Amino acid sequence: MQQRNTKQKLAILETLRGVKSHPTAQELYDLMKDEYPKLSLGTVYRNLNQLADLGQILRLDFNDDSVHFDGDTSMHLHFYCKECHQIYDVSVDQDVVNVARVLRGAIEKYGHQIDMSNAMYQGVCSSCIRKNIN
Amino acid sequence: MQQRNTKQKLAILETLRGVKSHPTAQELYDLMKDEYPKLSLGTVYRNLNQLADLGQILRLDFNDDSVHFDGDTSMHLHFYCKECHQIYDVSVDQDVVNVARVLRGAIEKYGHQIDMSNAMYQGVCSSCIRKNIN
DNA sequence: ATGCGTGCAAACGATTTGCAACTTG
DNA sequence: CAAGTTGCAAATCGTTTGCACGCAT
């Protein structure tokens, strides 16, 4: 059950890491199909799931239509705007990193082993707030 | 567009609040269909979604098969065990609550307005860890 | 009365999967 | 070569939705 590095998998990972957005499988497929005409959507799904299970990318689910993926696995938060449906990255300073450690501690106190965490926030983004005023 | 308090909606909310688990729509429907034989699954879905949108219950998505709901909206964390597929509540003390406020602050600094947040952790629960050793 | 909510069943659509052919190690 | 991977298309199945009727306000 060892994984292989096929051209498709490498291309998918590279493409995902090359965008700042958080594309769905379909969106990533659309981005790639010009350069890789024979690529199939099923392959994109299979690889994104495998990479997410291995922790090499992040799976983001905001109860939108479909699941989004993030090639950046470094510590950061996500904010989802329910009006414009955009996902914002929120970078964190050292204070916040320390604080996140406290939350993990609250869970590890129970003896659970954390493989991955996802702090997701929803609301209205600053840009849409401004729009609503006008 | 005002919402009405139908018997079904009240029963759904009451049933969800009465269980300590985090049932899916189907599971909640199964719990209720003896007492409410004419209740339909579609109604359960519609009400759970409406209640979640209004912030009266929580929607939990762990990329399991389906979405789970939580009738407890008080501050607590969720831990999902990917082996036994159980969702654990993690209660937090005042220290952790204060700490969580720092994370919200990191987002509000951008001018975004947070309506709801969900801190979800995944891994292997203490019980499954023990099982794996034996 | 008005129009949101319900039950039922059909429709939807994002994701998964079976299979034969093809790579990778 | 053995076994994981791909492309294609069909299947899956959780969730949504159209409609006629019923109930809350």
Side-chain angles (χ1 to χ4, degrees):
Chain A
M1 184 66 94
Q2 55 184 321
Q3 68 150 331
R4 291 176 184 179
N5 294 316
T6 61
K7 295 175 209 156
Q8 290 90 335
K9 183 180 303 179
L10 295 174
I12 287 168
L13 188 53
E14 188 185 8
T15 305
L16 180 61
R17 289 196 169 142
V19 296
K20 304 166 301 303
S21 59
H22 308 79
T24 63
Q26 178 72 58
E27 286 168 350
L28 197 62
Y29 171 71
D30 291 340
L31 281 173
M32 299 180 69
K33 69 183 173 196
D34 280 338
E35 192 172 353
Y36 307 88
K38 291 206 303 177
L39 180 65
S40 85
L41 182 56
T43 296
V44 176
Y45 270 104
R46 274 186 287 232
N47 279 302
L48 288 175
N49 282 332
Q50 189 185 67
L51 290 166
D53 288 343
L54 293 170
Q56 297 182 39
I57 65 176
L58 294 180
R59 223 188 308 247
L60 305 180
D61 199 324
F62 290 93
N63 291 297
D64 207 355
D65 309 299
S66 42
V67 176
H68 297 255
F69 294 88
D70 188 347
D72 177 8
T73 56
S74 69
M75 166 69 183
H76 63 289
L77 308 177
H78 290 107
F79 179 80
Y80 174 75
C81 178
K82 63 183 183 185
E83 293 205 6
C84 65
H85 305 287
Q86 206 167 130
I87 299 173
Y88 292 87
D89 280 328
V90 175
S91 59
V92 297
D93 57 23
Q94 192 54 45
D95 271 1
V96 175
V97 172
N98 290 334
V99 144
R101 209 165 279 150
V102 174
L103 293 183
R104 298 177 75 90
I107 288 169
E108 289 166 340
K109 209 163 53 183
Y110 287 72
H112 303 151
Q113 174 205 112
I114 300 175
D115 288 349
M116 66 180 357
S117 64
N118 240 314
M120 302 197 291
Y121 297 80
Q122 290 189 42
V124 185
C125 74
S126 55
S127 164
C128 283
I129 291 174
R130 241 178 286 119
K131 261 182 255 158
N132 291 340
I133 293 173
N134 302 334
Chain B
M1 184 67 96
Q2 55 184 321
Q3 69 150 330
R4 293 178 182 176
N5 294 317
T6 61
K7 296 175 208 158
Q8 290 89 336
K9 185 180 302 179
L10 295 173
I12 287 168
L13 188 53
E14 188 186 9
T15 305
L16 180 60
R17 290 195 169 144
V19 296
K20 304 166 302 302
S21 59
H22 308 79
T24 63
Q26 178 73 58
E27 287 167 348
L28 198 60
Y29 171 71
D30 291 341
L31 282 174
M32 299 180 70
K33 69 182 170 196
D34 281 337
E35 193 172 353
Y36 306 89
K38 292 207 303 180
L39 181 66
S40 86
L41 182 56
T43 296
V44 175
Y45 270 105
R46 273 186 286 233
N47 279 302
L48 288 175
N49 281 332
Q50 189 186 65
L51 290 166
D53 288 343
L54 292 170
Q56 297 183 38
I57 64 175
L58 294 179
R59 223 188 308 246
L60 305 180
D61 199 323
F62 290 92
N63 291 297
D64 205 357
D65 310 298
S66 43
V67 176
H68 296 256
F69 294 90
D70 188 347
D72 177 9
T73 55
S74 69
M75 167 70 184
H76 63 288
L77 308 176
H78 290 108
F79 179 81
Y80 175 75
C81 177
K82 64 183 184 187
E83 293 206 6
C84 64
H85 306 288
Q86 205 167 131
I87 299 173
Y88 292 87
D89 280 328
V90 176
S91 58
V92 296
D93 58 23
Q94 192 54 44
D95 272 1
V96 175
V97 171
N98 291 334
V99 141
R101 210 164 276 151
V102 175
L103 292 182
R104 299 178 74 90
I107 288 169
E108 289 166 339
K109 209 163 54 184
Y110 287 71
H112 302 151
Q113 173 205 113
I114 301 174
D115 288 348
M116 67 180 357
S117 64
N118 239 314
M120 302 196 292
Y121 297 79
Q122 291 189 41
V124 184
C125 74
S126 54
S127 163
C128 283
I129 291 174
R130 242 177 284 121
K131 261 182 256 158
N132 291 341
I133 293 173
N134 303 333

